[in-house]
Amino acid sequence: MTQDNQSKSFLAGIRFQPGEPIDALLAQTASSYRQDRVAGYVQTRYKDRDCGTLVYVRNLRSGDEMSITKNRGAMARGCKLDADALSTLSEQLARDIEVGSDLLIVARFGRSEAEGRGLRDVISRAMELEIPVLVGVRDEYADAWTAFHGGIADTLALDPHAILTWLDHQTNVTENA
């Protein structure tokens, strides 16, 4: 992607595999900003005897944590995404970017986003407001991610230096605009 296109997109996907430390890296990235200027979330997983793993999200601005999955009981196969919790998260992030943010972090472009729901509108709105957006993207959702951004997003390695370099460029773009 050319430097000119990169400066216009304000969007980067960070490719990662299950088990890689995407959330730790994104939390570390967020920590270099004032907490009241970052919108977004990271995930935490907790073992559960019924469904294996429950997923919680931590809002990077408020620090609040909530479950994003439902435990469907011991006889169910796995946990299920809680659509109400995802909607609540979407509303929180939308408010955070509207009141002002220097960065939006979306830890996962997942199944909901791939199916046209989830946090897609929040990502799009942040881009309209020229807020840089970092999004974690697992390989299984790479095609849906590409279809969503239409070729305007940068792809970053799961590397703190690459992410900070991209963010520094975005800051220079907004300061010089």
Side-chain angles (χ1 to χ4, degrees):
M1 178 164 290
T2 67
Q3 195 81 337
D4 186 49
N5 285 341
Q6 179 182 10
S7 67
K8 292 179 183 175
S9 76
F10 293 99
L11 181 64
I14 304 166
R15 298 290 293 272
F16 74 99
Q17 298 293 323
E20 290 184 316
I22 184 72
D23 294 292
L25 181 59
L26 292 173
Q28 176 187 351
T29 301
S31 71
S32 64
Y33 288 80
R34 284 185 16 207
Q35 186 173 352
D36 66 336
R37 299 299 302 168
V38 176
Y41 75 96
V42 291
Q43 289 186 2
T44 305
R45 296 176 176 277
Y46 297 103
K47 296 281 185 197
D48 181 81
R49 66 171 191 193
D50 290 339
C51 66
T53 303
L54 291 174
V55 179
Y56 283 73
V57 293
R58 180 174 52 89
N59 184 305
L60 292 167
R61 181 167 293 182
S62 69
D64 294 338
E65 191 173 82
M66 70 177 169
S67 176
I68 197 97
T69 51
K70 292 181 184 179
N71 180 336
R72 300 182 304 157
M75 300 305 287
R77 292 183 185 251
C79 298
K80 180 180 180 185
L81 180 67
D82 183 339
D84 291 336
L86 184 59
S87 178
T88 297
L89 177 63
S90 180
E91 291 168 8
Q92 289 173 356
L93 299 182
R95 277 192 307 270
D96 289 347
I97 63 172
E98 291 297 334
V99 299
S101 295
D102 297 328
L103 175 64
L104 171 64
I105 293 176
V106 176
R108 304 289 189 283
F109 185 90
R111 180 179 294 157
S112 289
E113 290 77 18
E115 294 173 349
R117 299 183 314 273
L119 301 175
R120 290 169 72 114
D121 290 344
V122 175
I123 295 168
S124 296
R125 180 64 180 145
M127 291 178 58
E128 289 172 6
L129 295 171
E130 297 185 350
I131 297 169
V133 182
L134 291 173
V135 181
V137 182
R138 279 191 356 212
D139 280 345
E140 67 186 281
Y141 299 112
D143 290 342
W145 167 248
T146 300
F148 168 70
H149 69 69
I152 65 166
D154 291 312
T155 300
L156 303 177
L158 187 68
D159 172 68
H161 179 73
I163 293 167
L164 292 176
T165 299
W166 184 84
L167 287 168
D168 285 345
H169 176 77
Q170 298 306 314
T171 302
N172 291 334
V173 168
T174 56
E175 288 175 356
N176 294 326

